[in-house]
Amino acid sequence: MKNKKIITFGFFALFTIGNMNAQKKPYLDKKKTIEERIELLLPLMTLEEKVGQMNQYNGFWDVTGPAPKGGTAELKYEHLRKGWVGSMLTVRGVKEVRAVQKIAVEETRLGIPLIIGFDVIHGYKTLSPIPLAEAASWDLEAIEKSAAIAADEASASGINWTFGPNVDVANDARWGRVMEGAGEDPYLGSKIAIARVHGFQGETIADLQKVNKIAACAKHFAAYGYVEAGLEYNIVDISNSKLYNSVLPPFKATVDAGVRTFMNSFNTLNGVPATGNVFLQRDILKGKWKFDGFVISDYASIREMIAHGYAKDEDDATAKAVIAGSDMDMESYLYVAKLVALVKEGKVKEALVDDAVRRILRVKFELGLFDDPYKNCDEKREKATIGNKANIDGVLDMAKKSIVLLKNDKGLLPLKKSGQKIALIGALANDKNSPLGSWRIASDDNTAVSVLEGMQQYKDNQLTFEKGADLIVGKTSFLNEVIFNTTDKSGFEAAKTAAKNADVVVMVLGEHGFQSGEGRSRTDLNLPGLQQELLEEIYKVNPNIVLVLNNGRPLSIPWAAEHVPSIVEAWHLGTQTGNAVAQVLYGDYNPSGKLPMSFPRNVGQVPIYYNKYSTGRPIDSDKNVFWSHYTDVEKTPQFPFGFGLSYTKYDYKNLKLNKTVFAKGENVQISVEVTNSGNYNGKEVVQLYIHDQFASIIRPIKELKGFELINLKKGETKTVNFTLTDKELGFYDNDGNYLVEPGTFKIMVGGSSDKGLESGFELN
Ligand code: BGC
């Protein structure tokens, strides 16, 4: 009886508090719609509190420890307690997140929850392959699953929002951030962008309420992938045609897929910084595309408009960013310092601030943070989720699917499982750190399965390992440059002896994981350090080499492409690298990846991409020098976009169209038969390219417009169907209008961008 009373009283007290809250804080009423709740909250906010929502700070002090004293940390702490911080980044782990969220929710006047952001780029703690590698799978289901695993782990660790996917189309391998995107093609890039958004957020916005989903962020808006000369943070100067047809489509695809946030970019676009760009953010994104989520600046990019020479001073940078539609300031400290005064002085309209705040609140409501600010703060879930078996298995599966077989001339692969002497050579083969890539803030160093460890699991061969030479000198980290060993060859002899005594040599060469990524542009795409020399020395004593490449960008490997019989592109594959590589080398997984970026013959060809233009002199019809070519090297890439081999063989035949003349608006139906005529079961990416042969604005000689990943057992034949509609047959003019013009189209279907079966049709 007594107990019952207590329970009744407890319930009554809770109800009353809840009721009081709903009266004092009517925006907490879950029965109202999100838009109603925003409109109930906004009028209660002071200008300072509104601007606070637009302010994001990087993690700053040991949040679970004592309050900081002095410096920026104290300032940020104070701001947090005043309700002047809307979001934080890089605070992670349930304990830490709960501590900052508690201040926002329990100590500020309105108790508006923070949205906690983090760079979940290719996994949180359990790392999947770098995004460029994942793109090589062309497996949208697997990519979506990989993003879902990342969201699962990140959300279990307190995170509500990832700064991904990076949807920057890029075709300059000198730029270190090509590792973060999906390569050079806007069609493939758009499909992958959608898969990633769905993986992070779920299929619909309502899914954001789920505990294992996080808000996604399409970045970097826009054209960061075209920094001039591949130089990091450089200017971008591109045509409207490139902007509308190559850069924007993946961004638009994310808006259609429901992405809730955008990040702008460090670069200028045709003279105006993206962060202060009204045309990009207001006219296109929020205007034409009707995006109703919010835009965050890139790290300090609002302040950087001063260095760019676009803003006079801090006030000017602040005003320009808000006017252009940058809703949240990441670490420039400018909105919080300057915006209130600018509004009071009439230099920025309060309506613009209100618009930004509505957008930010909308996403917080959609995530359910007002209803449960600690929804991602469950220590039990954190423990059960991070690094669990399902996640490890998931990233291993993704890693295998990301590997691309570039050459297998003498059939060295797959390796025989017993009775072989194998020499494993190269410092990267024994590296547990490099495979994690450079975006791995939540992961512990040296936690990848190395190639050596992966291969050691196949016990019926005799395996010896020799590094040959160290790849790098000293330690490296996210903040430091990688320094290569270019002098110490003391390990060469031992490596040569191992190679001489082996049936097959597996060499793991390439780039260190910290050699690609942000701030890591290069002017040389060859194998760095002593690796090329080591490769040639080993080849002299045993040419039966399987070269396994580890890299975050296309490399130029002309010598290897000519001499080495087997080449496997294994990128930086994350936590499960060694297991994935070993399973592919031993044939337990038949590789099916296709390159998402062209590999140049040398750096001088860069930018090189398959969807190029004909020029007026595409071939040497006059047999003289005056045609579009280089005099010292072929103009084709070493390995083209879409290229990748298998242990089996695929034959294409019977390419058919339902008609040869079509009216505008009619669907073009295409079918092709693909047969697995080799000795292994496998998977093939069947690719469809079009060439619009003449148009009011010239079109590329090939454009990917469809692909399908099919499973084929040995001996099996499948018919693959494609449909081309106006959506695939048109293009954007220089004002951004979509045109479908009559004309003749060539089509090509095959397993790579460089060859396939051809046909054509006319569009009236
Ligand atoms: C990068 C962004 C990243 C941000 C936060 C910037 O330097 O350009 O992609 O999300 O830092 O870490």
Side-chain angles (χ1 to χ4, degrees), residues 106-173:
E106 294 177 22
E107 295 186 33
T108 69
R109 200 176 68 89
L110 295 167
I112 301 176
L114 298 166
I115 175 169
I116 304 289
F118 196 82
D119 286 287
V120 186
I121 306 299
H122 55 106
Y124 179 68
K125 190 148 191 163
T126 307
L127 295 179
S128 48
I130 57 167
L132 184 67
E134 288 196 359
S137 72
W138 297 52
D139 187 332
L140 302 175
E141 222 174 279
I143 291 171
E144 180 170 336
K145 192 168 164 221
S146 169
I149 291 170
D152 189 33
E153 287 204 357
S155 62
S157 198
I159 309 299
N160 317 122
W161 171 30
T162 172
F163 304 128
N166 173 328
V167 303
D168 296 324
V169 170
N171 56 27
D172 191 330

Side-chain angles (χ1 to χ4, degrees), residues 56 58 89-90 118-119 121 163-164 166 177 180 219-220 224 232-233 263-264 266 297-299 330 439 441 478 518:
Q56 185 190 58
N58 201 356
L89 79 146
T90 319
F118 196 82
D119 286 287
I121 306 299
F163 304 128
N166 173 328
R177 297 193 83 167
E180 259 179 74
K219 71 184 188 186
H220 304 84
Y224 188 24
E232 185 62 300
Y233 312 130
M263 185 185 291
N264 57 36
F266 293 126
S297 78
D298 204 347
Y299 205 103
M330 182 194 282
W439 274 119
I441 312 170
F478 186 61
E518 185 175 350

Side-chain angles (χ1 to χ4, degrees), residues 41-96:
L41 172 53
L42 198 67
L44 303 178
M45 296 172 78
T46 62
L47 180 57
E48 284 77 4
E49 284 164 341
K50 289 182 198 170
V51 168
Q53 285 304 304
M54 299 167 72
N55 178 35
Q56 185 190 58
Y57 280 146
N58 201 356
F60 41 94
W61 80 101
D62 182 8
V63 269
T64 45
K69 293 258 174 297
T72 28
E74 185 172 355
L75 184 87
K76 288 175 170 181
Y77 181 69
E78 241 181 74
H79 287 179
L80 181 60
R81 299 186 74 176
K82 283 183 174 157
W84 290 2
V85 183
S87 172
M88 293 186 62
L89 79 146
T90 319
V91 178
R92 66 176 189 277
V94 163
K95 238 169 113 186
E96 300 274 303

Side-chain angles (χ1 to χ4, degrees), residues 633-744:
V633 76
E634 282 179 56
K635 66 174 174 177
T636 53
Q638 188 81 62
F639 299 108
F641 174 86
F643 174 77
L645 303 169
S646 163
Y647 294 150
T648 192
K649 208 173 145 284
Y650 302 106
D651 299 326
Y652 285 73
K653 58 177 188 304
N654 288 334
L655 175 61
K656 285 187 195 148
L657 279 82
N658 58 331
K659 296 200 289 184
T660 50
V661 182
F662 295 86
K664 216 162 125 176
E666 263 186 299
N667 290 351
V668 180
Q669 311 278 7
I670 298 161
S671 67
V672 70
E673 282 173 27
V674 188
T675 301
N676 179 345
S677 60
N679 292 321
Y680 298 84
N681 298 335
K683 284 190 296 181
E684 168 74 333
V685 183
V686 182
Q687 303 159 42
L688 165 68
Y689 295 88
I690 67 165
H691 178 198
D692 182 350
Q693 292 191 286
F694 55 91
S696 54
I697 294 167
I698 56 162
R699 308 302 310 136
I701 56 167
K702 268 172 202 164
E703 292 180 89
L704 181 73
K705 290 296 175 181
F707 65 89
E708 203 170 317
L709 177 63
I710 55 167
N711 276 303
L712 276 184
K713 298 216 170 72
K714 53 181 174 175
E716 193 183 4
T717 297
K718 272 188 184 161
T719 300
V720 178
N721 297 301
F722 294 104
T723 303
L724 291 173
T725 66
D726 280 359
K727 252 172 85 186
E728 289 81 28
L729 296 175
F731 61 90
Y732 291 94
D733 71 9
N734 288 335
D735 299 315
N737 303 309
Y738 190 73
L739 305 179
V740 183
E741 293 183 347
T744 54

